[in-house]
Amino acid sequence: MEKAIIGREVKVDIDGVASGIPAKVDTGADGSAIWASRIRVDEEGNLRFYLFDKSSPFYTGKEIVTKDYTVTEVTSASGHVLIKFCPYFKINIAGKTIRARFGLSDRSK
């Protein structure tokens, strides 16, 4: 199988959610993050969130609800411990579909 060559910046499609999303590739990173808003866990344990927020041209207004997620602690550069919700997505990058875990990060500010 021939390997796909990608650059530092690529466009990705998130299966059933959004397409043509600009992404940065960092081969040395420990994980991946994606901009999300209104992140919460409901009383049934479902993770609920929206990708991006209303200020983004990629915001669809579609709430995503999933039980397929993990919770992790992340230490910021300033030493603060943050709780991150990390759902799984099927993404298409360079013509290949993969299942990947993304930490949700509110980047509205």
Side-chain angles (χ1 to χ4, degrees), residues 1 5 15 18 21 24 39 45-46 74 78 88 90 98 109:
M1 182 187 286
I5 298 173
D15 191 38
I21 306 300
K24 289 183 186 173
I39 305 163
N46 296 303
V74 177
S78 61
Y88 290 87
K90 284 185 183 175
I98 60 171
K109 294 182 173 77

Side-chain angles (χ1 to χ4, degrees), residues 2-58:
E2 194 172 317
K3 291 185 179 183
I5 298 173
I6 59 175
R8 176 171 154 65
E9 295 181 7
V10 296
K11 301 274 186 186
V12 299
D13 298 331
I14 302 169
D15 191 38
V17 180
S19 44
I21 306 300
K24 289 183 186 173
V25 177
D26 181 355
T27 57
D30 291 336
S32 299
I34 193 165
W35 179 9
S37 59
R38 299 180 0 212
I39 305 163
R40 66 184 179 89
V41 176
D42 68 19
E43 53 280 345
E44 286 90 35
N46 296 303
L47 177 62
R48 296 176 165 273
F49 60 95
Y50 295 80
L51 285 182
F52 312 104
D53 76 5
K54 292 179 182 178
S55 68
S56 169
F58 301 103

